[in-house]
């Protein structure tokens, strides 16, 4: 924070230069890593690192507002949405890398050449031409400066951009909209449907009366057979679902005592319920 | 710092109100000292809050709470803090190791940084140096807290993803969606404060509340901020990312030992930070509350630190109260509250405030309040009329009342079975049920096969 303030007053140029060179290395390395790593989530994290480096550089140039807006809007919201979608649909390294767009390589190459030309022109212009004025022209702080520019000189482009963004958001909503054909089922409808389905309560939890208290061990029904619906469909139910060795010939099964060795003797009200 | 710099600094900031310029002339050891103070304060607050929360919730639930370690159980959090790092540190086999380790660090670090822009008090004298009781300030200080909370969410989201378990991933997805939604409403709640204070710097916002807290002028913003601060910190009733009834523990299901402790720490520090921000933005910061503020010395020296801490801990008590009182909301209710209530209300409120502000600045007349009140009443009447019309339309379009028992078959439908109803009278309702101890076989301890 003190570095940021020092940069704002141009008092400590050595520190600014040092931080710049550290950040430059980190940013370029992260940008390269973003292209080279295989997992989509790692790419997103590398992109976040690049964005944070850029934000710090904005702050060093005396533009703290831009820096924190960059962090809040791009890192905090836009990239977080990317990450959200990546995690939601679960892209993995094993995904297909077949190119679906025709001539993508040619187009990408042309775009890369165009970008290089633009960069060369921009850097050359900055290196050869006169340096930009060091102090902002509008207002004292960069916050009022930006506000003045947006609401005077650039008010029309600003409003047009706003209209474009709203149109895009509305378009996305229209495209994703689905007309509700049937009325939304009420709680009463849902209850009636559940009764009609034959299963009134939810699935039984796993592991009850089984030997191991683990999520992939099916519960046992009163007759000793495993209840398949008690294990989540993403797990493989363990085989060997025989009940623990508590039933001896001529004895009634004691189901309470079977799920843990160190228990107190089972309350007899419970065993009465199990027997009936 | 030279003597001349010191002199300029003193001339630039007369009185005890720190300005942005006060932070450019800080000595390096003073910055280190204040950073250490912030660090120690946040750790101590976390330890205290663990004890406080358990005791208060215990009282609310008619039980004593922790009372074994030390007087009033005060040493309980110390015991917890010693126990937690000594537990086994488990990294699941399916986890993405690097990110799994980094995620809690991101969360905890960002939580610490956010607190650095909170003003604790006016300028005080530390070792004969005049310095503001605030670690750092920027022209955009409030945005620093927003930025740090939006990076802190990366910790939660990456933790959930890197754990490689469905519950963690669901918790991560929920926290991503929740924090993005509530951050928008939180930012909108700030806008009215920025309009009134004319600055984004926290020290300037506190200075602007010299003549009255923003709580009185901007009550709607304050209420919206209270909602969003609970949503941002994933606390009950908005703790869906770790809802233990559905997701075991959400994003930190797979975490143990020190890594879990870091998430725990981050949660409590975030609570402290947002409570301190609420104090700074709406409750006058370190300024003394009304009856005390009549005393001329109330806002000088080290006293303001006390007022600041009292306000922060009242808000933190609110957190505990919420947790002891309210059940967790459903996910769609959370999203509906954020997007359909908080954001539209904030936008309308900002328009309203901006009009009043512009009018006051340009015409400087009190008639604006009459006009504003009239518009407000008209708005309420319009909303009520619209709501009435909507209800009447819904009543007209609604199908006739369905029969209470779904046993009646509709045309072309098989009859649905009746709802299962427990028997209304059973012997054991009257205390004459199965006698204890009459089981046929004695219960026997069973060891695993």
């Amino acid at each position: 924070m003190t570095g940021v303030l020092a940069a704002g007053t141009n008092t400590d140029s050595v520190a600014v230069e040092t931080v710049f060179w550290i950040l430059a290395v980190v940013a370029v390395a992260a940008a390269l890593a973003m292209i080279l790593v295989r997992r989509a989530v790692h790419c997103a994290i590398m992109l976040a690192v690049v964005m944070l480096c850029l934000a710090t550089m904005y702050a060093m140039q005396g533009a703290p507002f831009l820096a924190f807006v960059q962090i809040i809007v791009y890192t905090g919201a836009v990239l977080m949405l990317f990450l959200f979608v990546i995690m939601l649909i679960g892209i993995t390294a094993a995904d297909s890398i077949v190119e679906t767009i025709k001539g993508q390589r040619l187009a990408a190459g042309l775009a890369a050449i165009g970008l290089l030309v633009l960069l060369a022109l921009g850097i050359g212009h900055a290196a050869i031409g006169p340096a930009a004025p060091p102090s902002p022209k509008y207002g004292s702080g960069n916050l009022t400066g930006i506000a003045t520019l947006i609401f005077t000189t650039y008010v029309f482009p600003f409003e047009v951009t706003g209209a474009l963004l709203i149109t895009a958001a509305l378009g996305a909503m229209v495209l994703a909209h689905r007309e509700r054909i049937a009325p939304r089922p009420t709680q009463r409808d849902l209850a009636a449907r559940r009764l009609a389905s034959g299963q009134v309560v939810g699935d039984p939890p796993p592991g009850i009366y089984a030997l191991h208290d683990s999520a992939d061990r099916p519960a046992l029904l009163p007759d000793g057979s495993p209840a398949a619906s008690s294990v989540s469909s993403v797990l493989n139910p363990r085989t060997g679902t025989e009940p623990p060795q508590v039933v001896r010939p001529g004895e009634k099964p004691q189901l309470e005592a079977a799920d843990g060795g160190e228990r107190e003797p089972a309350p007899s009200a419970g065993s009465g319920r199990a027997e009936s | 710092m030279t003597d001349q710099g010191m002199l300029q600094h003193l001339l630039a900031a007369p009185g005890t109100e720190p300005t942005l310029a006060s932070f450019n002339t800080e000595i390096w050891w003073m910055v280190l000292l204040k950073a250490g103070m912030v660090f120690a304060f946040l750790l101590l607050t976390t330890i205290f809050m663990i004890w406080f929360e358990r005791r208060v919730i215990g009282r609310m639930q008619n039980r004593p709470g922790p009372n074994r370690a030390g007087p009033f159980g005060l040493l309980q959090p110390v015991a917890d803090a010693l126990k937690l790092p000594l537990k086994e540190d488990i990294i699941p086999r399916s986890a993405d190791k690097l990110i799994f380790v980094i995620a809690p660090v991101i969360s905890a670090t960002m939580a610490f940084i956010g607190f650095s822009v909170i003003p604790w008090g006016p300028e005080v004298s530390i070792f004969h140096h005049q310095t503001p009781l605030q670690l750092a300030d920027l022209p955009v200080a409030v945005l620093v807290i927003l930025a740090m909370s939006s990076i802190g969410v990366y910790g939660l989201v990456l933790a959930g993803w890197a754990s490689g378990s469905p519950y963690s991933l669901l918790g991560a997805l929920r926290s991503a969606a929740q924090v993005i939604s509530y951050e928008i409403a939180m930012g909108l709640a700030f806008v009215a404060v920025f309009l009134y204070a004319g600055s984004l710097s926290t020290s300037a916002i506190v200075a602007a509340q010299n003549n009255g807290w923003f709580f009185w002028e901007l009550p709607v913003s304050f209420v919206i901020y209270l909602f969003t601060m609970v949503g941002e910190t994933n606390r009950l009733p908005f703790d869906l990312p770790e809802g233990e009834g559905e997701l075991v523990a959400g994003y930190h299901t797979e975490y143990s030992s020190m890594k879990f402790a870091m998430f725990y720490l981050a949660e409590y520090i975030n609570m402290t930070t947002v409570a301190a921000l609420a104090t700074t933005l709406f409750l006058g910061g370190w300024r003394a509350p009304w009856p005390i503020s009549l005393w001329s010395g109330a806002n000088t020296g080290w006293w303001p630190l006390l007022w600041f801490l009292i306000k922060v801990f009242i808000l933190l008590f609110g957190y505990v109260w919420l947790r002891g009182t309210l059940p967790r909301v459903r996910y769609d209710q959370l999203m509906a509250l954020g997007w359909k209530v908080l954001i539209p209300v904030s936008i309308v409120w900002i328009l309203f405030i901006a009009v009043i502000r512009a009018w006051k600045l340009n015409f400087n007349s009190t008639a604006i309040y009459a006009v504003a009140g009239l518009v407000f009443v008209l708005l309420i009447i319009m909303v009520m009329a619209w709501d009435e019309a909507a209800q009447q339309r819904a009543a007209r379009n609604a199908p006739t009342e369905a029969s209470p028992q779904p046993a009646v078959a509709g045309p072309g439908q098989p009859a649905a079975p009746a709802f299962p109803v427990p028997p209304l009278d059973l012997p054991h309702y009257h205390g004459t049920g199965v006698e204890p101890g009459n089981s046929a076989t004695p219960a026997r301890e069973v060891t695993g096969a």
Side-chain angles (χ1 to χ4, degrees), chain B residues 209-226:
Chain B
Q209 298 182 66
N210 194 8
N211 297 322
W213 298 357
F214 287 146
F215 167 72
W216 301 111
E217 290 181 274
L218 308 166
V220 177
S221 293
F222 180 63
V223 171
I224 290 168
Y225 179 77
L226 286 186

Side-chain angles (χ1 to χ4, degrees), chain A residues 1-2 4-6 9 39 41-42 45 48 52 64-65 68-69 71-72 74-77 79-81 83-84 87-88 143 188 191-192 195-196 200 211 234 245-246 248 251-252 254 257-258 260-263 265-266 268 271 275, chain B residues 23-24 31 96 99 113 136-140 143-144 146-148 150-151 153-154 157-158 161 169 172-173 176-177 180 200 401-404 406 416-420 435-449:
Chain A
M1 290 304 137
T2 45
V4 170
L5 286 170
T9 50
R39 305 187 82 163
V41 172
H42 293 173
I45 296 168
L52 291 180
F65 179 72
F68 286 105
V69 165
I71 293 179
I72 294 169
Y74 285 95
T75 319
L79 195 64
M80 187 53 84
L81 282 178
L83 209 54
F84 187 82
M87 294 193 320
L88 197 65
L143 198 58
R188 173 169 289 166
L195 273 175
V200 178
L211 186 61
V234 300
Q245 298 300 314
V246 294
R248 298 203 180 86
E251 275 186 6
K252 290 185 178 178
Q254 303 164 9
E262 297 296 314
R263 273 232 179 146
S268 50
S271 33
E275 283 159 16
Chain B
F23 294 91
N24 281 344
V31 174
D96 188 319
I99 297 181
I113 295 178
D137 200 4
L138 283 176
V140 290
L143 295 189
V144 175
L146 268 185
M148 289 311 130
S150 67
I151 299 180
V153 187
Y154 272 86
V157 171
L158 293 178
W161 178 81
L169 187 64
L173 288 174
I180 290 176
L200 271 67
E401 181 68 16
S403 68
F419 287 116
E435 286 294 317
N438 64 353
S439 180
T441 52
R444 185 177 305 155
E445 193 170 293
V446 176
T447 52

Side-chain angles (χ1 to χ4, degrees), chain B residues 162-435:
Chain B
S163 298
S165 111
Y167 289 131
S168 303
L169 187 64
L170 285 174
L173 288 174
R174 282 184 178 189
S175 96
Q178 175 175 341
V179 173
I180 290 176
S181 317
Y182 275 70
E183 207 155 52
I184 297 173
M186 188 181 248
L188 289 174
F190 291 160
V191 170
V193 175
F194 298 157
L195 278 179
Y196 268 67
S199 173
L200 271 67
S201 127
T202 44
S203 59
I205 288 172
V206 174
Q209 298 182 66
N210 194 8
N211 297 322
W213 298 357
F214 287 146
F215 167 72
W216 301 111
E217 290 181 274
L218 308 166
V220 177
S221 293
F222 180 63
V223 171
I224 290 168
Y225 179 77
L226 286 186
F227 276 104
T228 56
M229 84 180 198
V230 180
E232 277 286 295
T233 45
N234 300 328
R235 292 278 301 183
L236 267 169
F238 300 145
D239 69 336
L240 290 123
E242 48 175 284
E244 67 272 1
E246 307 126 40
L247 298 181
V248 187
Y251 58 89
H252 58 62
T253 303
E254 307 293 340
Y255 279 86
S256 60
S257 186
M258 203 60 206
K259 299 197 190 71
F260 172 73
M262 281 195 203
F263 280 123
Y264 207 85
L265 190 68
E267 179 181 327
Y268 279 81
I269 293 176
N270 280 330
M271 274 165 62
T272 316
T273 307
V274 291
L277 189 64
T279 307
T280 305
L281 294 187
F282 296 102
L283 302 179
W286 41 260
R287 294 184 181 282
W290 169 66
I292 308 173
S293 61
L294 297 177
W295 169 43
S296 59
N299 284 330
T300 53
W302 287 86
W303 281 109
L305 185 59
L306 181 66
W307 319 137
F308 174 78
L309 289 181
I310 289 175
K311 290 175 196 174
V312 169
F313 278 102
I314 286 176
L315 285 169
L316 286 176
F317 171 75
Y319 264 116
V320 178
W321 197 358
L322 282 179
R323 183 177 160 186
T325 317
L326 293 179
R328 183 178 306 125
V329 299
R330 227 169 43 215
Y331 192 68
D332 59 324
Q333 292 170 334
L334 176 87
M335 284 294 152
L337 178 69
W339 288 98
K340 295 181 184 169
V341 179
L342 296 182
I343 293 177
V345 168
S346 313
I347 292 175
V348 172
W349 172 248
I350 289 169
L351 274 178
F352 186 67
I353 282 295
V355 169
I356 288 189
R357 191 86 186 136
W359 196 311
K360 261 176 84 176
L361 286 181
N362 291 333
F363 302 108
N364 196 17
S365 121
T366 48
I368 178 64
Y369 290 110
V371 176
L374 204 67
V375 170
F376 196 64
V377 170
L378 277 178
L379 260 178
I380 290 180
I381 292 174
M382 273 170 63
V383 168
M384 281 170 68
W386 174 76
D387 186 53
E388 188 66 33
Q391 275 185 7
Q392 280 178 3
R393 200 167 51 242
R396 266 202 310 280
N397 296 342
T400 50
E401 181 68 16
S403 68
Q405 284 288 334
V408 182
Q413 280 178 341
F419 287 116
V421 177
L424 293 178
D425 197 32
L426 283 176
H428 71 264
Y429 290 173
H430 309 289
T432 54
V434 186
E435 286 294 317

Side-chain angles (χ1 to χ4, degrees), chain A residues 97-112:
Chain A
I97 49 166
V98 174
E99 289 169 23
T100 50
I101 306 171
K102 274 195 177 171
Q104 194 182 2
R105 288 179 182 228
L106 184 67
L110 284 178

Side-chain angles (χ1 to χ4, degrees), chain A residues 102-179:
Chain A
K102 274 195 177 171
Q104 194 182 2
R105 288 179 182 228
L106 184 67
L110 284 178
I113 292 171
L115 182 67
L116 275 181
V117 170
L118 266 182
L119 279 178
L121 282 179
I123 294 172
H125 187 72
I128 299 167
S135 59
K137 227 192 304 184
Y138 297 91
S140 50
N142 59 60
L143 198 58
T144 44
I146 290 173
T148 314
L149 280 179
I150 283 180
F151 289 107
T152 55
T153 318
Y154 297 107
V155 66
F156 187 67
F158 179 68
E159 296 292 337
V160 168
T161 314
L164 182 70
L165 286 176
I166 289 178
T167 317
L170 283 178
M173 281 169 70
V174 168
L175 285 179
H177 181 67
R178 208 171 33 163
E179 201 69 45

